[in-house]
Amino acid sequence: MAPDFFIQDTLTVAHDLIGKELRYNHPHYGRLSGIITETEAYTQDDPACHAYKGKKTNRTWPMFLEGGHIYIYMIYGMYRCLNISTDIEGCGSAVLIRSIRPLTGLDTMINLRQKPIQECANGPGKLYNALDIDPALNGKKLGDSLDIIDSNMSINAIKRTPRIGISKGKDLLWRFVI
DNA sequence: AGAAAGATCTTCT
DNA sequence: GAAGATCTTTCTA
């Protein structure tokens, strides 16, 4: 992506990430990638955001990094979710990557998930396991290991809906999906 | 120190 | 559609 793509309004980033290619260069399995089909925006004005009101903790600090850094957190004790920080440094905001359509490394993903390909990466926790992302990437910048590529996909209809699995901020249409 | 909630997934009915 | 699995993080006392 253009260098400053992530250093802008979180809603814009969440919307524009739909149709882009998420690419992970796995140390053992090689390239695993897919087209992003679902995202959600979280800003520090938002009650559902981990960094609500600028709350910076041992968990949430990567959200405050300059746009384009990786934020990985564990949820429900067993799953991890992948986010990309947005906006300028010091702003606690990010986009949650909720779903991808697998593009390369399909066999690997099927192996890792033990599911048919359509169900390998159609959810935040599933996507994380399908790519087998290294948790040590938390707080690192997008780059050689994990990156988002400007694909030339033409996107028809991006829908806006309420976000999933939250108890606050349900009125905001901050989920983007094809 | 203890408790409660949590940006989910799977399995079952 | 509902519930259980499972445990980290954060808040409260």
Side-chain angles (χ1 to χ4, degrees):
Chain A
M1 303 295 303
D4 289 351
F5 173 81
F6 293 96
I7 309 177
Q8 60 175 327
D9 174 73
T10 307
L11 272 289
T12 305
V13 176
H15 174 276
D16 290 355
L17 276 182
I18 300 291
K20 301 296 187 291
E21 181 182 352
L22 174 68
R23 197 182 274 183
Y24 181 45
N25 191 17
H26 192 283
H28 180 65
Y29 299 116
R31 177 185 296 179
L32 307 176
S33 81
I35 299 296
I36 297 172
T37 56
E38 188 179 341
T39 63
E40 283 179 4
Y42 289 89
T43 77
Q44 59 180 16
D45 303 323
D46 158 27
C49 179
H50 291 161
Y52 183 43
K53 289 181 176 166
K55 190 174 59 184
K56 191 191 277 188
T57 68
N58 282 341
R59 174 172 68 154
T60 66
W61 61 269
M63 294 185 83
F64 292 84
L65 298 175
E66 181 179 78
H69 286 79
I70 299 161
Y71 171 45
I72 295 168
Y73 67 91
M74 173 158 281
I75 188 64
Y76 300 122
M78 25 170 120
Y79 299 103
R80 279 182 235 262
C81 297
L82 173 68
N83 304 252
I84 312 297
S85 73
T86 57
D87 220 312
I88 59 174
E89 180 177 358
C91 188
S93 56
V95 172
L96 169 66
I97 313 290
R98 287 191 58 86
S99 169
I100 63 173
R101 187 165 57 74
L103 204 61
T104 59
L106 307 194
D107 295 342
T108 301
M109 296 191 204
I110 291 168
N111 249 329
L112 288 168
R113 292 266 308 130
Q114 294 294 304
K115 296 281 177 195
I117 191 64
Q118 310 92 286
E119 294 165 34
C120 276
N122 61 339
K126 302 182 198 177
L127 168 164
Y128 191 97
N129 288 337
L131 299 193
D132 188 33
I133 296 169
D134 182 357
L137 287 173
N138 188 35
K140 301 269 170 56
K141 212 173 170 181
L142 289 174
D144 291 337
S145 181
L146 182 66
D147 211 349
I148 292 176
I149 310 300
D150 200 354
S151 74
N152 288 326
M153 280 206 90
S154 63
I155 302 305
N156 289 3
I158 300 180
K159 289 184 201 160
R160 292 184 64 154
T161 79
R163 292 168 293 177
I164 305 284
I166 56 172
S167 56
K168 298 167 190 163
K170 287 180 174 169
D171 51 325
L172 301 172
L173 301 179
W174 284 10
R175 170 173 176 257
F176 299 88
V177 57
I178 295 184

